[in-house]
Amino acid sequence: MITTRPHTGEPRTAGIAGRLNWLRAGVLGANDGIVSVAAIVVGVAGATNDLAPILTAGTAALVGGAISMTLGEYVSVSSQSDSEKTLIATERRELSEMPAQELEELTGLYQAKGISPETARKVAEELTAHDALGAHLSAELNIDGQDLVSPWRAALASAVAFTSGGIIPFVAMLLPPGVRIPATFIVVLLALAVTGALGARLGGSPVLRPTIRVVVGGAVALGATFLIGTLLGTTGIA
């Protein structure tokens, strides 16, 4: 028996691609947590060496950011899930009320892909006999009825990703005042390099340019907030 395996660079199956998209979203969420929390704690550290306000600001940024990301992801994915469920219900009703027209529609969809009319008709009939609803959802709507998006899973993944990234600069700020800021800069930029490279790999793009882009963006954010915090601390406003 001869088995085949996909070559490198071949399109991935929907299931694998979906999981990679979730992983990539998690990496981007961690990146957001790193930059958001680091920018705030570095800004406060620029204004004062006292650890208490730095940790207070860092905790607020970590908790508030995680909650914000979680709620945003839940609302967004809930809307997508509601739309998918509505489309599935509509397709199920149409298959019940007008099966002949739906078979013609499925045949036409396969003909539009370049399949001959005879073959398209045979494919449509066989798929309809096997799983009519699944065939229409896949060909017509590009939906997998067995793998609908989960708002709760997306929200939890977003919270975990943001918190995992945000805890890095938070912990770095626990170091002594003399090394606190430079160590945080180094740790954060290294972490951003890792998330940038990993995100690029998961997205199938070259690693160098996206990594540099993420690191430079993070460095600009840290530098700007540290400068503002230093100016506020020097002028006595903060």
Side-chain angles (χ1 to χ4, degrees), residues 52-69:
I54 296 174
L55 294 183
T56 299
T59 301
L62 191 61
V63 175
I67 292 175
S68 176
M69 291 284 289

Side-chain angles (χ1 to χ4, degrees), residues 37-132:
V37 176
I40 290 175
V41 295
V42 165
V44 176
T48 177
N49 285 326
D50 293 340
L51 187 59
I54 296 174
L55 294 183
T56 299
T59 301
L62 191 61
V63 175
I67 292 175
S68 176
M69 291 284 289
T70 300
L71 291 176
E73 193 71 10
Y74 179 81
V75 170
S76 174
V77 177
S78 291
S79 297
Q80 180 183 346
S81 178
D82 291 342
S83 297
E84 289 180 345
K85 290 176 181 178
T86 299
L87 290 172
I88 291 173
T90 300
E91 197 63 41
R92 182 179 284 111
R93 185 182 68 254
E94 291 176 349
L95 283 168
S96 174
E97 296 175 353
M98 51 183 87
Q101 292 92 323
E102 288 296 294
L103 179 60
E104 292 298 331
E105 181 182 36
L106 189 60
T107 302
L109 289 171
Y110 285 110
Q111 283 186 243
K113 295 179 182 291
I115 300 177
S116 67
E118 296 79 9
T119 303
R121 179 74 178 193
K122 183 174 178 59
V123 170
E125 288 176 346
E126 292 186 1
L127 289 176
T128 297
H130 174 69
D131 180 8

